[in-house]
């Protein structure tokens, strides 16, 4: 069984992502950031949209729910915790739920913090997770609705996925995230090398996503709250992981 994945730009810095199971001939859009680019990509690939898997209620993730539903008759799956804020929902899912996408099992991971109902979709057989605005390449989502402790718990769940899990995120924020990450852990050689690679990719107009859990654990300051150099720099040698996370998040908010 083969899962095909297509990532493309929507709006200014959102990603559209389509997943397709060739044998079952089903196609899902991860969120629905913008109608036309999704329609165009489906046409280019010859795929028929059968479902939308929504991660959270923000407008830049659900704007095209109803227009796509009208155009394709697709079904919409959304987090139970905030389904009332999401247009066109047919099925709600919560932590630990599983369902089939074609022949692939999809596991629902609740990742509250950015919004209270935010979820990620994890397909273990394909070693891929769609995490939207919880974890970014070299960053994480702003904590709009939850608490830093909550966001830290959510990131910890994602960090516990297998190292070789491919991670698709909601936005191309990596270059700005890299600039900030370098202020938190400038001595991290892998981070320095990655930042240079990101500059090269963006200079060529190419995306820096997807990433992997292994790459993020090695370079993303928000997943590196145990790194002695980071704790020392922040003056938080003996603080809890959540407290270190909260301090890094605060600095990023003011960066
Ligand atoms: Zn969002
Ligand atoms: Fe977003």
């Amino acid at each position: 069984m083969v899962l095909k994945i297509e990532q493309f730009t929507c709006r200014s810095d959102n990603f559209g992502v389509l997943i397709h199971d060739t044998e079952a001939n089903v196609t899902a859009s991860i969120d629905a950031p913008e109608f036309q680019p999704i329609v165009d990509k489906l046409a280019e690939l010859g795929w028929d949209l059968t479902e939308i898997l929504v991660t959270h209620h923000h407008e830049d993730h659900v704007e095209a729910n109803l227009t796509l539903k009208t155009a394709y008759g697709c079904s919409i799956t959304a987090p139970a915790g905030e389904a009332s804020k999401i247009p066109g929902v047919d099925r709600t899912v919560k932590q630990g739920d599983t369902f089939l996408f074609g022949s692939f099992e999809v596991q629902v991971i609740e990742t509250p913090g950015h919004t209270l109902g935010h979820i990620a979709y994890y397909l273990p057989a394909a070693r891929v997770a769609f995490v939207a605005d919880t974890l970014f390449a070299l960053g994480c989502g702003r904590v709009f609705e939850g608490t830093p402790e909550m966001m830290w718990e959510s990131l910890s769940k994602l960090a516990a996925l297998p190292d070789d899990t491919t991670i698709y995120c909601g936005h191309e924020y990596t270059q700005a995230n890299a600039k900030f990450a370098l202020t938190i852990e400038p001595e991290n050689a892998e981070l320095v090398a990655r930042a240079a690679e990101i500059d090269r990719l963006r200079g060529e107009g190419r995306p820096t996503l997807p990433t992997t859990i292994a790459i993020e654990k090695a370079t993303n300051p928000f997943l590196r709250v145990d790194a002695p150099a980071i704790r020392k720099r922040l003056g938080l040698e003996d603080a809890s992981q959540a407290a270190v996370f909260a301090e890094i998040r605060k600095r990023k908010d003011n960066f």
Side-chain angles (χ1 to χ4, degrees):
M1 57 191 204
V2 178
L3 186 76
K4 292 189 174 174
I5 305 177
E6 279 284 320
Q7 176 187 260
F8 50 99
T9 301
C10 288
R11 306 170 79 96
S12 57
D13 56 30
N14 278 77
F15 283 116
V17 178
L18 294 172
I19 62 175
H20 179 76
D21 179 331
T22 312
E23 282 161 53
N25 195 28
V26 289
T27 305
S29 179
I30 309 300
D31 289 328
E34 190 180 11
F35 181 73
Q36 199 59 49
I38 296 172
V39 169
D40 291 347
K41 185 56 75 172
L42 286 163
E44 175 194 324
L45 298 163
W47 296 350
D48 179 37
L49 188 66
T50 49
E51 45 194 297
I52 301 172
L53 303 179
V54 178
T55 61
H56 68 296
H57 71 81
H58 284 160
E59 178 69 12
D60 63 311
H61 297 259
V62 304
E63 183 193 76
N65 273 17
L66 295 181
T67 46
L68 288 170
K69 194 171 186 172
T70 300
Y72 296 93
C74 58
S75 75
I76 299 180
T77 300
E82 54 191 46
S84 64
K85 297 178 178 172
I86 296 168
V89 176
D90 298 290
R91 168 174 64 178
T92 62
V93 290
K94 58 185 193 317
Q95 173 65 39
D97 282 354
T98 62
F99 59 89
L100 282 177
F101 170 74
S103 46
F104 290 86
E105 183 188 87
V106 182
Q107 297 180 3
V108 175
I109 304 173
E110 288 183 351
T111 56
H114 179 71
T115 67
L116 287 175
H118 195 296
I119 61 174
Y121 295 96
Y122 173 46
L123 285 65
R127 280 281 204 260
V128 64
F130 303 95
V131 305
D133 292 1
T134 297
L135 176 64
F136 292 126
L138 292 179
C140 73
R142 272 185 190 260
V143 185
F144 285 124
E145 297 180 10
T147 63
E149 291 72 22
M150 194 185 274
M151 190 67 163
W152 170 246
E153 277 300 307
S154 297
L155 289 170
S156 300
K157 283 186 189 172
L158 298 178
L161 294 174
D163 275 352
D164 63 353
T165 306
T166 299
I167 301 294
Y168 285 83
C169 309
H171 294 268
E172 176 62 70
Y173 291 158
T174 317
Q175 201 167 27
N177 288 344
K179 285 194 181 71
F180 172 74
L182 285 168
T183 69
I184 299 296
E185 199 181 14
E187 56 281 303
N188 182 336
E190 271 187 75
L191 171 59
V192 172
R194 189 179 180 197
E197 170 69 3
I198 286 159
D199 286 342
R200 188 182 68 76
L201 287 168
R202 296 309 293 154
E204 295 169 3
R206 290 162 64 192
T208 63
L209 277 289
T211 179
T212 68
I213 289 296
I215 292 171
E216 294 313 311
K217 288 202 305 199
T219 54
N220 186 328
F222 295 99
L223 298 186
R224 295 182 55 73
V225 299
D226 286 329
I230 291 181
R231 286 178 164 256
K232 187 151 186 284
R233 180 164 292 102
L234 302 179
L236 293 172
E237 278 96 335
D238 301 318
S240 68
Q241 292 180 325
V244 178
F245 167 77
E247 175 61 23
I248 298 172
R249 187 59 256 180
K250 192 176 90 190
R251 290 184 183 218
K252 177 67 164 67
D253 289 344
N254 298 317
F255 183 65

